[in-house]
Amino acid sequence: MKYSPLLLATFLLQGQQAQAGPISSLRARAWQVEAIKLLLEAIGVLTESESDKVWEIKEHPQMCEVTMETHHGAACKAYVHCDDGTKEYNANGQDWNACFVGGRQFFNDPRIGDFSITFSDRDGYTQGEGLTTPILQVKHVKDWQPWPVNDLARRYSGDCIGGNGMCDDGPYLCWRNSDMQANPFKRWGCGVPKIGKSGGDVTSVGPINDKGYAPGQCGIHVIQYQKPDPAKDSYALEITHLNDNNEAKIGGTEKVGPSVSLTSKLPWTVEIKTGGVDADPVSFAYGGDAWDSNDSRCSVGAYDNGKREMDCGFTCN
């Protein structure tokens, strides 16, 4: 019989927890690491990533932090915290109609899309009394693949908070409050990528429309080449990529003249045009939207070896 990585990981973790008799800390850690590797693999996270705590949005602005909590075995709440603010779910304590063991509550957040939380146990292992063992599922991350939040959080709390000096480079996807067994207030949190983004090697993939691209926020990378002879030559532009909301390439062009009408899978062309001198911004237009490289939606590097590079984002619904 062939077991799924998620099921096999569960067996390994339960086996470690139920192990009778003395067991060396190194053997226990090795057992847990193998189980966690399978858990991370099952939800699309690679343990070789150099990312550390992927819920820290200041370092990972493409991520949001989903926090779930209970108090005295009830009062279920959730928060989604991104770089543009925090949204609270069940603030008044009355809108979570599945706040019981096995109840799956669905939510929608415009940054991460549809997601759900299920508290799958009561008085779960190492979690004290009350609703415990949350399962997080996100529509755009491997099509609702369950995240065993407490197991992922135990890896971080055991490695980094427990003070055993064995904290590795991660990625750490989830956390939980360190005094959970004695505290009636229980909180877990996980880093979840915004729709179409990735972090900690977990990727959110938004839906593709009938034109073949993921609408939302597109990004364009432009190289502007200086004039070889300013007295007679023109600037040149190269569009290395035009990416959709899933960061998939949907257009681009090799080095061309000082203006480009870029065709792609988008319904309209993206118009790009240089100015008259080096200090002038590059202008952009798409549909009824127009901006230039001095706009806050662009990041522009300095000229170096006869060229400068820039990245801009724009709405591409």
Side-chain angles (χ1 to χ4, degrees):
M1 179 180 294
K2 185 176 181 181
Y3 295 107
S4 71
L6 189 61
L7 184 59
L8 183 56
T10 302
F11 287 162
L12 284 171
L13 285 169
Q14 289 176 345
Q16 178 195 353
Q17 294 163 6
Q19 180 75 27
I23 181 170
S24 72
S25 60
L26 288 177
R27 181 182 172 192
R29 176 173 170 78
W31 198 336
Q32 184 187 46
V33 166
E34 289 305 311
I36 292 298
K37 282 182 178 179
L38 288 170
L39 289 172
L40 294 173
E41 177 186 350
I43 61 172
V45 181
L46 303 179
T47 56
E48 290 80 6
S49 171
E50 295 181 356
S51 298
D52 184 10
K53 298 179 282 293
V54 299
W55 58 82
E56 293 187 337
I57 60 175
K58 287 185 178 180
E59 296 183 13
H60 307 285
Q62 78 278 20
M63 305 293 286
C64 295
E65 181 183 22
V66 176
T67 304
M68 54 218 85
E69 66 181 46
T70 65
H71 190 214
H72 285 292
C76 299
K77 288 186 179 181
Y79 306 83
V80 178
H81 179 49
C82 308
D83 57 359
D84 61 352
T86 300
K87 185 174 181 180
E88 181 177 356
Y89 297 88
N90 200 30
N92 60 13
Q94 299 177 359
D95 298 330
W96 194 309
N97 54 21
C99 186
F100 49 82
V101 174
R104 185 178 180 186
Q105 188 75 32
F106 288 85
F107 308 92
N108 177 270
D109 183 275
R111 287 87 49 99
I112 65 172
D114 294 328
F115 68 101
S116 70
I117 297 170
T118 305
F119 289 98
S120 62
D121 199 4
R122 181 173 292 278
D123 307 341
Y125 180 77
T126 74
Q127 299 166 82
E129 297 180 352
L131 286 176
T132 56
T133 320
I135 302 297
L136 174 65
Q137 295 172 260
V138 184
K139 178 180 179 180
H140 296 308
V141 179
K142 302 202 76 172
D143 192 23
W144 297 105
Q145 172 68 55
W147 297 26
V149 173
N150 191 65
D151 288 325
L152 294 169
R154 285 184 62 219
R155 176 172 178 254
Y156 173 67
S157 62
D159 284 2
C160 294
I161 298 177
N164 59 16
M166 303 178 76
C167 182
D168 58 39
D169 292 333
Y172 292 108
L173 199 64
C174 301
W175 58 269
R176 69 180 196 178
N177 55 316
S178 58
D179 59 346
M180 180 168 288
Q181 293 194 61
N183 194 337
F185 178 83
K186 306 183 188 304
R187 175 177 284 182
W188 299 259
C190 295
V192 175
K194 296 176 182 177
I195 297 174
K197 307 301 179 182
S198 62
D201 295 315
V202 60
T203 300
S204 173
V205 180
I208 306 297
N209 63 17
D210 57 2
K211 295 181 176 63
Y213 71 94
Q217 188 74 6
C218 287
I220 189 168
H221 184 83
V222 177
I223 302 175
Q224 179 186 6
Y225 294 91
Q226 290 177 295
K227 302 173 183 178
D229 183 347
K232 63 178 183 178
D233 294 324
S234 299
Y235 292 108
L237 293 170
E238 178 183 350
I239 316 302
T240 61
H241 59 259
L242 169 63
N243 289 348
D244 68 5
N245 195 64
N246 283 340
E247 299 183 344
K249 184 175 180 179
I250 57 173
T253 182
E254 296 179 350
K255 188 176 180 181
V256 291
S259 62
V260 179
S261 292
L262 181 65
T263 59
S264 66
K265 293 182 178 180
L266 298 178
W268 299 292
T269 60
V270 182
E271 304 294 330
I272 308 116
K273 185 178 181 179
T274 61
V277 296
D278 285 359
D280 286 343
V282 174
S283 61
F284 296 84
Y286 175 72
D289 190 12
W291 70 98
D292 64 42
S293 56
N294 286 339
D295 192 278
S296 60
R297 71 181 83 180
C298 295
S299 174
V300 184
Y303 284 103
D304 184 32
N305 292 322
K307 63 182 181 181
R308 65 174 177 175
E309 301 188 37
M310 60 193 72
D311 289 282
C312 298
F314 62 97
T315 301
C316 55
N317 291 325

